[in-house]
Amino acid sequence: MKNYAILVLLALGMMFNVTAMTVSNTVEIEAVMNTVDEYVKIKSNQLTPPVIDEILKQYPTSKLGAAYKNDKGEFKLVMVLKSGTRRIVYIDQHGNWINKK
């Protein structure tokens, strides 16, 4: 009889532990999602002329892999370098480079 009581207590303890872990993980994910800027994928023809000029100056041998824009007018560009590696760079609509980590 004592074995059954211990087994029931262990089962209840594990259920509460799993529930507590699930709630804490959910809170962490929500906090991360709120701090991320919302970038929407755009076509390359939607880039402004100053942005295009700066890309050609800084990355003359690279290709544009993807372009994204947020509501502040900032662009997130995925550049495919000549070596095949990808680099994510940020630039505003006036052609000024932005340092983001």
Side-chain angles (χ1 to χ4, degrees), residues 36-37 39 55 58-59 62-69 74-81 84-91 97-101:
V36 176
D37 289 333
Y39 284 92
I55 292 172
Q58 294 294 320
Y59 299 97
S62 301
K63 295 180 181 178
L64 181 63
Y68 302 89
K69 184 178 181 181
E74 299 172 343
F75 294 98
K76 174 182 172 182
L77 307 174
V78 179
M79 302 301 298
V80 181
L81 305 179
T85 59
R86 294 178 183 265
R87 177 176 290 165
I88 297 176
V89 295
Y90 299 91
I91 191 168
W97 294 101
I98 303 170
N99 291 326
K100 288 192 178 185
K101 302 259 177 177

Side-chain angles (χ1 to χ4, degrees), residues 39 42 44-55 67-77 89-100:
Y39 284 92
I42 61 170
S44 60
N45 63 359
Q46 292 177 316
L47 295 173
T48 61
V51 171
I52 295 171
D53 291 340
E54 281 298 314
I55 292 172
Y68 302 89
K69 184 178 181 181
N70 66 7
D71 57 351
K72 298 177 189 174
E74 299 172 343
F75 294 98
K76 174 182 172 182
L77 307 174
V89 295
Y90 299 91
I91 191 168
D92 68 6
Q93 61 189 350
H94 304 292
N96 300 317
W97 294 101
I98 303 170
N99 291 326
K100 288 192 178 185

Side-chain angles (χ1 to χ4, degrees), residues 1-14:
M1 191 69 172
K2 289 182 182 179
N3 290 339
Y4 291 119
I6 292 173
L7 184 61
V8 169
L9 289 175
L10 285 173
L12 288 173
M14 285 192 288

